[in-house]
Amino acid sequence: MYPEDRYYTKSHEWIKVEGNHATVGVTYYAQEQLVEVVFVELPEPGMEVKAGDGIAVLESVKAVSDIYAPVSGTILEVNKKLEDQPELINKDPYGEGWIFSLEIIQKEEIDKLIRATEYQSHIKNEPK
Amino acid sequence: MRYIPTTDQDRKEMLKSLGLQSVEELFDDVPDRVRLQGELNLPSAQTEYELFKSLKSLAEKNNNLEQYPSFLGAGAYGHLIPSAVQHILSRSEFYTAYTPYQPEISQGVLQAIYEYQSLICSLTGMDVANASLYDGATALAEAAVLAGEATKRKKIFLPMTIHPEYRMVTQLYLENRGMEVIQIPHDKGQTDLNYLKDNINEEIAGVLIQQPNFFGILEEVKEVASLTQKFGALLVVSVNPISLGILEAPGHYGADIAVGEGQGLGNPVAFGGPFLGFFATRDRFIRQIPGRIVGATKDIEGKRGFVLTLQTREQHIRRQRASSNICSNQALNALAATVFLCLVGKKGLQEVANLCLQKAHYAYRKITSIKGYSPLFTQPFFHEFPIQTPDSPEVINKVLLEKGIIGGLDLKRHYPELGPSMLLCVTEARTKKEIDTLVQALENYHE
């Protein structure tokens, strides 16, 4: 449920890094907590973001959550499919439910992110 | 709320558990100089009957609109209200209800809001309406904010013919969101279209317009709409809902957002409110609407039911990132509007609007034929019109009040450059006799 090939944030985003390019989505745990995602507000391609900025919004029936940029960079692409099929986040959070990709500016920011095992122990301690 | 009295014994026990000797000690942190010294300035206890009499005599010091025919409008309008409105409003299921978060126990309130939304949509020609806002001014400001968010642009056109208080509220909202307000001057009481033509460009997020405008005059909304659309800006129209009985709905001439003050729909004029802001727009902006929306659905057994469908942009869920930080709506006032609209119906609303128009024009013809009183502007108007007066309206209004008449709004307060002039309003609630009395009083004014 928590692929080893990516990094995680404590705010429940995953990030898959390939060179200077990174894809971002939310974790299995995040989509499970949200229950049914009904709307996704995507960032604009070309937008410059800093690590920790709230740049996308996931809306479920009873809650709204901000999605934060795990690292600083420029938004390259957004998953337009989510506009009509927000449920992809629930169905396939690590694949078809990706949210945006970005070009990483400061590679060293990645070192501050956590790996799958650490993330799993983090969510165990989350208040329910 | 239940009233739970405390006895001396209760107080003693509470103080004891806090380790205090007296109530005074509880307030020790408040400096002496700002504390009330001595007793409250209140008479001693009275019997129920004595109290009723003294409160009644206090209340009678106010002049009320039942005794005094009023020609004062400017955003708060005295219309006739069928007595069934008050009756339904007084049902405790409605007036004690707060926010209907629990759909299973709030079906009546939710249905009433759903009907209200539907009525506002048909009235404005829009796809979707929220469950109401505080008042017409904040509704306009919220609409300007939406225009900025939706277009990602930062400039708003705000004509000088919009209600001055609405302009102040809008300006305050926008300035603090880093948006720029550009005022459009007026030309003989109408928004200056040439100014609009010369200055509109792709940086403008929205054009706001009021129909009829603050002077009661009809704006060239179709032309404003086509100019606005040409540059990809949103058109926000603030409408008087009663006028929609005879004027075209904003949705039909290209408005993107229709807002307004709903007080005139079944809510009496009462000091400073409560008022009722309505907000309607196109489907595509549904996720950016401030406040909440009630939707109709079916339960597991297929029975029709109502729920708060869209409320996730609200303050109680989104906190500081909510679309709007006005969390409460005006459910009881919206209910009054709903009952009012259902009772008068389509034809009734048309009649109310037509009577307003006819009576206002009758008054206008009579008043402007008196020596010293002339039209300030000559553009078509609905039920309000400004006239130049031979003296300061302040003085004239005093004389009118002595004769039991509430006069118009002194325009000096907001438009000092217009000279001595007042804005008069005539609704269907004014009789011909009352209008004739006003005309007579203005005629005899100098005697």
Side-chain angles (χ1 to χ4, degrees), chain B residues 215-420:
Chain B
F215 298 119
I217 290 171
L218 301 183
E219 297 275 8
E220 302 283 354
V221 281
K222 284 182 188 165
E223 210 157 322
V224 175
S226 69
L227 270 172
T228 307
Q229 282 157 356
K230 210 167 130 192
F231 291 92
L234 301 193
L235 178 65
V236 178
V237 187
S238 175
V239 277
N240 173 344
I242 295 282
S243 75
L244 295 176
I246 48 172
L247 295 180
E248 199 169 355
H252 300 163
Y253 52 79
D256 297 288
I257 309 170
V259 293
E261 175 52 65
Q263 171 273 325
L265 304 170
N267 288 281
V269 174
F271 298 93
F275 282 78
L276 160 67
F278 61 87
F279 190 109
T281 185
R282 306 283 181 198
D283 270 343
R284 66 176 186 279
F285 302 122
I286 198 163
R287 303 226 167 238
Q288 283 150 309
I289 293 177
R292 61 177 74 118
I293 289 178
V294 172
T297 184
K298 279 188 185 139
D299 71 7
I300 206 160
E301 291 158 11
K303 283 189 247 158
R304 192 180 187 218
F306 301 90
V307 285
L308 281 178
T309 306
L310 278 176
Q311 52 166 334
T312 38
R313 303 278 136 169
E314 275 204 285
Q315 189 196 26
H316 71 277
I317 292 179
R318 288 220 79 190
R319 309 277 162 163
Q320 78 278 12
R321 297 195 63 197
S323 309
S324 162
N325 284 97
I326 293 181
C327 63
S328 264
N329 62 10
Q330 299 288 84
L332 200 62
N333 301 88
L335 177 67
T338 310
V339 180
F340 174 86
L341 285 170
C342 292
L343 286 172
V344 300
K346 259 188 196 175
K347 199 154 172 283
L349 190 69
Q350 204 172 14
E351 267 170 43
V352 172
N354 195 32
L355 278 171
C356 287
L357 180 85
Q358 301 301 338
K359 289 185 176 188
H361 284 72
Y362 171 75
Y364 172 83
R365 284 193 300 274
K366 285 274 183 176
I367 294 167
T368 53
S369 64
I370 309 170
K371 198 167 163 263
Y373 297 86
S374 52
L376 187 65
F377 305 124
T378 52
Q379 312 287 5
F381 64 90
F382 175 55
H383 74 352
E384 280 174 290
F385 54 90
I387 50 165
Q388 282 179 320
T389 50
D391 258 321
S392 145
E394 205 181 328
V395 185
I396 296 174
N397 277 337
K398 213 173 260 173
V399 174
L400 289 179
L401 196 60
E402 278 164 18
K403 301 197 170 176
I405 302 167
I406 297 170
L409 180 88
D410 188 348
L411 286 173
K412 187 176 72 188
R413 192 166 135 205
H414 300 295
Y415 302 87
E417 72 281 4
L418 292 177

Side-chain angles (χ1 to χ4, degrees), chain B residues 9-38:
Chain B
Q9 188 57 36
D10 292 335
R11 279 190 283 271
K12 261 185 210 153
E13 277 169 30
M14 285 191 277
L15 286 168
K16 199 177 154 201
S17 76
L18 290 167
L20 298 173
Q21 296 299 314
S22 68
V23 175
E24 282 298 292
E25 271 181 56
L26 260 181
F27 299 109
D28 261 356
D29 289 333
V30 182
D32 264 352
R33 63 190 162 82
V34 295
R35 282 174 64 178
L36 179 72
Q37 309 291 338

Side-chain angles (χ1 to χ4, degrees), chain B residues 128-181:
Chain B
V128 51
N130 75 4
S132 78
L133 293 168
Y134 273 160
D135 58 17
T138 49
L140 182 68
E142 298 277 4
V145 169
L146 195 159
E149 303 256 310
T151 56
K152 313 260 182 239
R153 300 177 185 180
K154 295 234 166 251
K155 292 178 180 172
I156 292 280
F157 270 140
L158 186 68
M160 295 292 282
T161 55
I162 290 182
H163 194 305
E165 286 160 359
Y166 289 25
R167 278 190 274 134
M168 282 155 74
V169 171
T170 305
Q171 183 115 23
L172 187 71
Y173 265 62
L174 297 187
E175 275 171 7
N176 289 290
R177 283 184 173 250
M179 289 178 72
E180 189 190 335
V181 171

